[in-house]
């Protein structure tokens, strides 16, 4: 809570290019290659709390994701909003590998209808769960800019609440550019906090 600490806010834009995975034969007619777009509002952790340095200072944030799903009249377009946490796997000076896990809510403009859209066997509801998995490499371009690129998988499904529900899977490659809105805080480790060990018990409480 020191007054000289900044909130470490980062804005990021990302572009995807991939295809609809035909994991069921009913999805094959709608397999297309197409782009998707994402904008993220994230915070770079620096060790303010114990879990941040224990997990090597991950990025936490929230994203909005959009795609036209190849401009098919059957599938429509997809929107998703999801919070995420981006864990560093390998860190070197100015270059890092990350794994990002995001889980949120998706909205698909088209769904199955036995009269008007009976060909859509992928999704039976407008509201769906959304999972976003991303493996990326990030590289600093200066004090404010960070470039990244990687591979990802986006999944839409309602969990079988409404049928049909084969789901939509979107594997892709992606590239992003992030801008640090506030200055970067130096990483810190809470020296005053005692180290904890699994199953530790001091016999007093």
């Amino acid at each position: 809570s020191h007054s000289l600490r900044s909130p470490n806010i980062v804005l990021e834009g990302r572009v995807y290019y991939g295809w609809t995975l035909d994991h069921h034969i009913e999805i094959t007619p709608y397999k297309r290659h197409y782009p998707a777009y994402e904008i993220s509002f994230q915070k770079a952790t620096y060790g303010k709390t114990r879990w941040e340095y224990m997990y090597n200072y991950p990025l936490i944030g929230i994203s909005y994701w959009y795609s036209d799903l190849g401009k098919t009249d059957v599938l429509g377009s997809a929107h998703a909003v999801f919070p995420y946490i981006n864990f560093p796997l390998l860190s070197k000076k100015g270059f890092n590998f990350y794994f990002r896990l995001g889980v949120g809510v998706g909205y698909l403009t088209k769904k199955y209808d036995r009269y008007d859209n009976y060909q859509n066997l992928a999704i039976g509801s407008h509201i769906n769960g959304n999972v976003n998995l991303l493996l990326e490499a990030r590289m600093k371009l200066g004090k404010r800019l960070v470039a990244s690129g990687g591979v990802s998988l986006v999944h839409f499904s309602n969990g079988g609440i409404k049928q049909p529900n084969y789901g939509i899977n979107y594997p892709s490659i992606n590239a992003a550019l992030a801008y640090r809105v506030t200055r970067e805080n130096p990483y810190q480790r809470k020296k005053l906090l005692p180290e904890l060990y699994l199953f530790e018990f001091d016999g007093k409480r």
Side-chain angles (χ1 to χ4, degrees):
S1 61
H2 195 284
S3 60
L4 295 181
R5 295 286 176 183
S6 70
N8 258 16
I9 301 301
V10 180
L11 293 179
E12 184 175 86
R14 188 178 301 272
V15 178
Y16 298 79
Y17 190 78
W19 70 95
T20 302
L21 187 65
D22 51 342
H23 55 293
H24 289 280
I25 192 171
E26 289 84 359
I27 311 298
T28 302
Y30 314 111
K31 181 180 178 180
R32 287 175 170 81
H33 290 78
Y34 50 88
Y37 309 95
E38 177 188 309
I39 184 167
S40 301
F41 179 81
Q42 66 187 13
K43 179 179 180 181
T45 61
Y46 59 91
K48 184 178 180 180
T49 59
R50 180 194 297 273
W51 76 269
E52 294 178 356
Y53 69 74
M54 287 181 66
Y55 290 95
N56 201 20
Y57 313 103
L59 302 171
I60 55 176
I62 187 168
S63 286
Y64 166 71
W65 187 94
Y66 167 79
S67 177
D68 61 16
L69 300 181
K71 297 182 178 179
T72 67
D73 294 333
V74 174
L75 296 182
S77 58
H79 304 261
V81 176
F82 56 91
Y84 64 83
I85 183 166
N86 203 356
F87 293 101
L89 301 179
L90 177 65
S91 299
K92 290 189 176 180
K93 188 174 181 180
F95 189 83
N96 304 277
F97 280 100
Y98 281 79
F99 171 72
R100 190 181 80 174
L101 171 62
V103 179
V105 178
Y107 178 82
L108 299 174
T109 58
K110 297 281 188 178
K111 67 179 184 66
Y112 170 81
D113 185 273
R114 60 179 177 172
Y115 298 116
D116 299 326
N117 197 19
Y118 59 86
Q119 293 177 309
N120 186 351
L121 298 179
I123 292 294
S125 62
H126 288 299
I127 304 297
N128 293 269
N130 172 256
V131 177
N132 189 296
L133 305 176
L134 171 66
L135 185 65
E136 65 169 348
R138 301 176 69 89
M139 181 176 64
K140 284 187 176 182
L141 300 181
K143 291 184 178 180
R144 296 281 184 173
L145 290 177
V146 176
S148 65
V151 294
S152 66
L153 176 65
V154 178
H155 173 72
F156 289 92
S157 171
N158 63 34
I161 296 175
K162 276 202 166 185
Q163 297 295 332
N165 184 52
Y166 286 131
I168 294 176
N169 293 308
Y170 177 68
S172 66
I173 58 173
N174 61 80
L177 189 64
Y179 176 74
R180 186 179 292 277
V181 178
T182 58
R183 65 178 178 81
E184 183 178 9
N185 289 321
Y187 292 137
Q188 67 180 20
R189 183 178 174 89
K190 293 283 189 179
K191 297 290 188 181
L192 298 179
L193 292 179
E195 293 294 333
L196 299 180
Y197 303 93
L198 288 177
F199 316 115
E200 184 179 32
F201 178 56
D202 60 6
K204 297 179 181 178
R205 58 176 181 172

